[in-house]
Amino acid sequence: MSQQIEPGSATHAAQQRQRASQLAQAVRNELQKAVIGQNSVIDDVLTALIAGGHVLLEGVPGLGKTLLVRALARCFGGEFARIQFTPDLMPSDVTGHAVYDLNTEQFKLRKGPIFTNLLLADEINRAPAKTQAALLEAMQERQVTLEGRALAIVQPFMVLATQNPIEQEGTYPLPEAELDRFMLKVRMDYPDADQELNMVRQVSRSTRADMLDVQPLRTVLQAKDVMALQRIASDLPLDDQVLDYAVRLARTTRTWPGLTLGAGPRASIALVRCARARALLRGGDFVIPDDIKGCALSVLRHRVRIAPEFDIEGLDVDQVLKQLLDQVPAPRL
């Protein structure tokens, strides 16, 4: 007779972690079929999904930012909405508004596209600050206030915003308060030669003009599965030394010579939450310092500001942060 496993037992928890890890890896495998040459970016987006955070995707046109989000929506059985941000977009176009119903002679609330599970905010820096700010309450509080009423957004809720870093004309930089709401800022770079060759080979066979089709991808995740992944990840064991390491990294940014603005406590929290998600994604039973280090750049790069003299010398934020990561000693477990 097989041995029964108590729901609260360590064996049951280990089995849950293993199943959750397999599910997360299945999503990763599906995404890699559609988005070629961006494996680290896929891992970052899945990390944010499991950690319950939002992602700012930055990269030049044509690297597959929108494709990645569409592929994730295809693998996810929940609701998906896309907003194309433009200079004339109004906040009510995002959140919704009250409309007058002639039949009932009353105002009715018409919910906007923000009431969804997965929201693609395409080219977010093309809309003015007033419209960008329409996302703030939803991203932080998971609710939207319409006509004085606070309306809850269905869970899970994740904003994936894209922006093009090279275009300056007709764009509005995101304010610091909004940048801080994004758990990760992920940079998409050009794929290497072999990956680009493979991509061109596959796309040129596709019936779509210049992109891979996401239709063949399997739906692997439902909304309840994402909630379960988030819950299991948040319960992963974390040693006090690893927790201290995350806090030391965030605090060191505030006194580091190359930085004029350091990361706040929200960065420390994001480091720990992302590290737990990374540990689950790789199939680990507990969080290790490498999980913190692996997501540190994406967590910190949009929360710090480089000193002008370093900027003039041609150094970017990532280079300064890499120096910091090399200098701050990680615990040996």
Side-chain angles (χ1 to χ4, degrees):
M1 195 171 92
S2 63
Q3 186 184 355
Q4 287 218 325
I5 298 166
E6 292 297 320
S9 69
T11 312
H12 177 74
Q15 285 195 348
Q16 271 197 324
R17 279 200 297 271
Q18 189 179 6
R19 281 197 295 269
S21 180
Q22 287 167 351
L23 185 61
Q25 286 165 14
V27 181
R28 178 206 269 156
N29 293 339
E30 287 299 306
L31 292 178
Q32 285 174 353
K33 293 175 189 174
V35 187
I36 298 165
Q38 301 289 354
N39 292 352
S40 64
V41 174
I42 289 170
D43 282 355
D44 280 342
V45 168
L46 286 179
T47 296
L49 180 69
I50 297 168
H54 310 289
V55 178
L56 180 62
L57 276 169
E58 187 177 87
V60 297
L63 293 181
K65 298 186 294 296
T66 307
L67 174 66
L68 170 57
V69 183
R70 284 178 53 247
L72 181 60
R74 180 72 185 163
C75 296
F76 172 58
E79 292 179 31
F80 169 66
R82 174 180 177 172
I83 305 171
Q84 186 69 47
F85 278 67
T86 55
D88 59 348
L89 193 76
M90 299 295 290
S92 58
D93 296 328
V94 177
T95 59
H97 52 274
V99 290
Y100 187 70
D101 190 331
L102 289 170
N103 295 327
T104 60
E105 296 184 346
Q106 288 181 329
F107 281 97
K108 283 187 176 179
L109 289 180
R110 180 175 289 167
K111 291 181 177 180
I114 202 168
F115 290 92
T116 186
N117 293 123
L118 206 60
L119 178 69
L120 168 57
D122 219 353
E123 295 190 282
I124 190 171
N125 55 336
R126 287 204 171 278
K130 184 169 73 170
T131 306
Q132 291 176 12
L135 291 172
L136 282 174
E137 182 187 9
M139 288 171 73
Q140 187 64 31
E141 311 293 337
R142 303 298 199 270
Q143 67 172 34
V144 175
T145 303
L146 276 180
E147 303 296 320
R149 284 173 56 194
L151 305 175
I153 295 175
V154 67
Q155 295 299 314
F157 173 64
M158 182 183 189
V159 174
L160 291 121
T162 70
Q163 68 175 12
N164 171 3
I166 57 170
E167 209 160 2
Q168 302 300 324
E169 194 173 332
T171 61
Y172 303 83
L174 270 66
E176 301 296 337
E178 185 159 12
L179 280 173
D180 203 33
R181 296 294 199 284
F182 287 101
M183 180 177 275
L184 301 177
K185 180 180 179 181
V186 180
R187 285 188 173 153
M188 288 186 88
D189 291 320
Y190 295 107
D192 64 32
D194 290 341
Q195 290 166 335
E196 191 162 350
L197 197 66
N198 185 24
M199 185 197 301
V200 172
R201 186 182 290 117
Q202 287 197 39
V203 173
S204 56
R205 286 187 195 142
S206 170
T207 52
R208 305 290 291 270
D210 64 346
M211 62 193 293
L212 284 165
D213 197 357
V214 299
Q215 291 305 316
L217 300 185
R218 290 185 303 125
T219 300
V220 183
L221 280 176
Q222 298 298 329
K224 61 178 175 54
D225 298 324
V226 176
M227 300 294 284
L229 285 175
Q230 291 175 350
R231 189 182 64 253
I232 292 165
S234 67
D235 287 337
L236 270 179
L238 179 83
D239 192 272
D240 280 347
Q241 291 180 63
V242 180
L243 181 70
D244 177 65
Y245 177 54
V247 174
R248 276 191 294 118
L249 280 178
R251 289 183 67 84
T252 305
T253 62
R254 300 168 204 170
T255 54
W256 197 253
L259 302 171
T260 55
L261 177 72
R266 199 177 271 153
S268 311
I269 296 164
L271 280 170
V272 172
R273 283 168 61 193
C274 286
R276 281 195 158 115
R278 287 231 162 199
L280 185 73
L281 196 55
R282 65 173 171 81
D285 290 326
F286 53 88
V287 181
I288 60 173
D290 279 350
D291 294 324
I292 300 273
K293 206 167 185 177
C295 58
L297 278 180
S298 299
V299 169
L300 297 172
R301 62 164 62 106
H302 58 299
R303 292 184 163 98
V304 299
R305 192 178 295 154
I306 193 169
E309 59 270 24
F310 282 76
D311 200 15
I312 292 165
E313 287 174 19
L315 284 173
D316 64 11
V317 170
D318 282 18
Q319 288 170 307
V320 175
L321 286 173
K322 280 174 185 172
Q323 291 172 2
L324 184 149
L325 288 170
D326 289 340
Q327 297 286 328
V328 177
R332 294 173 180 271
L333 298 181

